[in-house]
Amino acid sequence: MRIALQWASHGISGEKMPGIAADLLEAGYDSPALRRLAGETNVTCCADVAEIVTKTFRELGFPLLLSQQQAKLLETCQIAREVIAGERNSWAAASHLEYSIWKWETTIPEVADIFAIHDEIDWEPIYRRSVTDLYVALIEAFARAALIPDSEIAKY
């Protein structure tokens, strides 16, 4: 379930979880914890709902057995595939990965390449590649990220 992956990778905020839970109920999913999560009204951060979200995923059969690094990598691969398929804006996706998912820190070369290109767009024009060249480089970087093998992800 994609939502469990987004939660594990910190790609989704706690404030959004009650609404997501309500959507899941409407879609036919059900569990006591899911109903409780959908009814939460005072959520200001992930910590407010972390315990009930974990319980909800466990009740729905989606245990979070991944490390945070693995979840980030899997989410990165999914986002990269969406960019390549034309379902997601490449620059917005790069921004989301850099700021929301990875918080500016990665040692994964495929992810670091996306960050470097995303950062280069803000350089003065005389010091950076053309916007067209940067766009092509960004798409190529997303293509490499989309193909990170499971064996590489398992190392983390």
Side-chain angles (χ1 to χ4, degrees), residues 70-149:
Q70 288 171 320
K72 286 178 179 184
L73 277 167
L74 287 170
E75 182 69 6
T76 298
C77 290
Q78 180 60 38
I79 289 170
R81 290 179 188 118
E82 291 170 3
V83 167
I84 299 307
E87 299 170 358
R88 198 170 186 142
N89 176 283
S90 58
W91 295 105
S95 180
H96 178 68
L97 287 174
E98 188 169 7
Y99 306 140
S100 298
I101 303 294
W102 291 93
K103 312 280 192 244
W104 298 280
E105 294 184 25
T106 185
T107 58
I108 312 300
E110 295 87 349
V111 179
D113 289 347
I114 293 169
F115 293 178
I117 296 162
H118 181 249
D119 293 344
E120 188 177 340
I121 194 71
D122 292 331
W123 296 1
E124 292 294 322
I126 61 171
Y127 299 111
R128 67 166 160 77
R129 294 174 274 182
S130 72
V131 173
T132 301
D133 289 345
L134 285 172
Y135 175 75
V136 169
L138 185 61
I139 296 300
E140 290 172 352
F142 271 116
R144 289 189 300 278
L147 298 174
I148 297 172

Side-chain angles (χ1 to χ4, degrees), residues 3-5 7-8 53-54 57-58 62-67:
I3 195 72
L5 181 60
W7 176 260
V53 168
T54 300
F57 289 143
R58 190 174 43 251
F62 301 112
L64 302 175
L65 300 176
L66 301 172
S67 70

Side-chain angles (χ1 to χ4, degrees), residues 18 21 25 34-42:
L25 285 168
L34 183 63
R35 283 184 250 126
R36 182 170 156 223
L37 179 59
E40 289 290 330
T41 58
N42 192 17

